Amino acid sequence: MTLDQLPRASSAVVIALDSAGAERLRLMDLGILPGTEVRADLTSPLGDPTAYLVRGSLIVLRRTQARAIHVELAAT
């Protein structure tokens, strides 16, 4: 599944990034690396963008950006 499909208040682990160049570097600078746990925390009223909790920081991604991040649900 991709990060944009993660239900609100759910956690997942990043398994791969499907982007290249500056976009990939930006995601990596934000701490989105394979093995990182991500939680869908807040969603705007229209559903885009969504705020994710990553390594103790809240980051906001557009749906198109989140679609490039492959995740699997975290074990609870």
Side-chain angles (χ1 to χ4, degrees), residues 14 17 27-28 30-34 36 38 54-55 59 61 69:
V14 176
L17 298 177
L27 292 173
M28 293 173 77
L30 291 171
I32 301 175
L33 300 166
T36 301
V38 178
V54 179
R55 300 177 186 248
I59 65 167
L61 298 174
I69 302 167

Side-chain angles (χ1 to χ4, degrees), residues 19-29:
S19 62
E23 180 76 22
R24 182 182 181 88
L25 291 176
R26 179 69 179 139
L27 292 173
M28 293 173 77
D29 284 345

Side-chain angles (χ1 to χ4, degrees), residues 6-72:
L6 184 66
R8 187 174 169 203
S10 298
S11 296
V13 176
V14 176
I15 55 173
L17 298 177
D18 189 17
S19 62
E23 180 76 22
R24 182 182 181 88
L25 291 176
R26 179 69 179 139
L27 292 173
M28 293 173 77
D29 284 345
L30 291 171
I32 301 175
L33 300 166
T36 301
E37 186 167 332
V38 178
R39 177 184 161 95
D41 204 39
L42 302 168
T43 303
S44 69
L46 297 177
D48 190 32
T50 299
Y52 299 95
L53 189 60
V54 179
R55 300 177 186 248
S57 298
L58 202 59
I59 65 167
V60 178
L61 298 174
R62 295 260 177 220
R63 185 172 294 135
T64 55
Q65 295 171 306
R67 199 170 289 148
I69 302 167
H70 296 268
V71 298
E72 61 184 18

